[in-house]
Amino acid sequence: MEKNILQAAILGSILGDSVGVPVEFMPRERLTKQPVTGLRSFGTHNQPAGTWSDDSSMSLATIVSLTEHDDDFNDVMTRFLAWLRQGEYTPFGICFDIGISTERAISRFEGGLTALRCGGSAESDNGNGALMRMMPVLFDLRKKFGDNFATDPQSYDVIHNFARITHAHPRNLMACGLYLVIANELMTAKLNGGKHFKGAAVASGLKKARDYYQSNPAFQQESAYFARIFNTYFGMLPRKEIKSSGYVVDTLEASLWSFLSGRNYADCTLKAVNLGGDADTIASLSGGLAGIYYGLESIPAEWLDQLQKKEWIDTVIEAFATKML
Ligand SMILES: [Mg+2]
């Protein structure tokens, strides 16, 4: 069961990214008229169907690092550098998109700075480039601190270190913590027989993470930025009130909203993609949560069949599951 959830979390994220890649940056009005209904070819980055992007490349690099080492941030950054310069961890050997803060951080690492000091911490470093690659860390945390890691302050240090190698602003660290604690609560609910409604699991995760962040002076000013998702009725907001930009708060909101308002894996993913804007990242994050909650069997087989380098991805996930579970 745990392996099924791990596979669904990772494949659900990568597939969400792939569904979004052809329409990344597309305005919502155009997607409202011609909504995405599955995997498409070409579009924004002119890639074949099933092509995944930076979100998945950086997640896969993290997975390989976690499989071979124990929280070795310089090793993670070495792999990010190989992705940027040599096109490793990509479908076709080229890195075709990267965020500004991420590129700057990797360049600092290339210049000799230690990984944990590479991430920018300016207000302008609050894009979603750390959040988009967080899902693998969930399994590292459960292995280290158990399934209730959300009540252990040490687990947040690990999350924040994984984030800070590219994005070190406290708002960004907090967004990553909120996402992983929610994902963990969904996984626990699933393992307990899926008795919980997803809204209850999300609320429970938010409460645990909020308790930590509100008791930590470094984050007290940041909580206000997440006020909307702390509202019980957040998932019921109308679509027009959900922004889908690459700002980490907007991205976290949009992915949670898509997950909460969707009916199954495909619906959660398509709801996210059709918000437009940073569609691939939002769908990757929504797809990861939906994968956990609805399970591997809920992911459409005809989508999975079209995923580029699917066999290699399966091998990487298999080795990761063997190490983590
Ligand atoms: Mg992307």
Side-chain angles (χ1 to χ4, degrees), residues 17 21 24 53-55 97 132 278 280-281:
D17 177 13
V21 161
E24 189 181 14
S53 69
D54 52 351
D55 317 65
D97 68 337
M132 65 163 72
D278 207 346
D280 58 331
T281 299

Side-chain angles (χ1 to χ4, degrees), residues 41-274:
S41 298
F42 310 114
T44 308
H45 298 286
N46 200 29
Q47 302 288 326
T51 300
W52 28 275
S53 69
D54 52 351
D55 317 65
S56 303
S57 293
M58 297 181 90
S59 296
L60 287 161
T62 305
I63 287 175
V64 175
S65 180
L66 282 171
T67 304
E68 295 179 13
H69 304 274
D70 182 35
D71 295 357
D72 182 340
F73 301 103
N74 288 314
D75 181 74
V76 176
M77 279 297 256
T78 302
R79 291 172 198 278
F80 289 173
L81 182 59
W83 160 64
L84 174 62
R85 300 289 181 230
Q86 278 102 41
E88 283 190 38
Y89 313 103
T90 64
F92 307 110
I94 41 155
C95 164
F96 60 83
D97 68 337
I98 184 165
I100 296 165
S101 298
T102 299
E103 186 161 18
R104 279 193 192 135
I106 297 173
S107 298
R108 287 185 197 114
F109 180 73
E110 194 174 25
L113 206 59
T114 189
L116 286 172
R117 299 186 58 198
C118 287
S121 56
E123 180 78 28
S124 59
D125 288 307
N126 277 321
N128 57 24
L131 182 61
M132 65 163 72
R133 57 178 171 80
M134 273 303 126
M135 185 59 93
V137 181
L138 170 66
F139 302 96
D140 182 44
L141 292 168
R142 287 178 68 97
K143 186 177 172 70
K144 274 202 182 68
F145 305 109
D147 60 6
N148 202 17
F149 67 76
T151 56
D152 186 342
Q154 284 181 288
S155 62
Y156 294 89
D157 294 341
V158 173
I159 297 169
H160 299 160
N161 283 340
F162 270 100
R164 90 169 76 246
I165 58 178
T166 61
H167 294 70
H169 191 284
R171 197 170 312 150
N172 229 308
L173 309 185
M174 183 167 170
C176 294
L178 292 173
Y179 181 76
L180 285 178
V181 172
I182 290 168
N184 185 52
E185 214 65 20
L186 288 166
M187 179 159 174
T188 301
K190 181 84 178 174
L191 286 169
N192 290 338
K195 292 188 292 270
H196 295 285
F197 291 111
K198 61 181 166 181
V202 169
S204 162
L206 282 166
K207 188 186 175 309
K208 287 180 186 175
R210 194 183 192 181
D211 286 347
Y212 167 81
Y213 285 111
Q214 289 194 334
S215 66
N216 188 325
F219 294 96
Q220 273 164 1
Q221 289 191 331
E222 298 302 330
S223 282
Y225 291 92
F226 299 95
R228 280 181 19 132
I229 61 169
F230 289 131
N231 187 309
T232 316
Y233 301 103
F234 170 73
M236 291 178 222
L237 283 177
R239 181 172 176 257
K240 65 177 188 316
E241 289 193 29
I242 304 300
K243 292 183 199 158
S244 47
S245 81
Y247 170 46
V248 70
V249 176
D250 287 352
T251 297
L252 181 63
E253 283 195 359
S255 58
L256 257 186
W257 179 86
S258 306
F259 169 64
L260 286 168
S261 60
R263 296 182 308 273
N264 51 46
Y265 174 82
D267 196 37
C268 293
T269 304
L270 294 173
K271 268 206 155 78
V273 167
N274 287 316

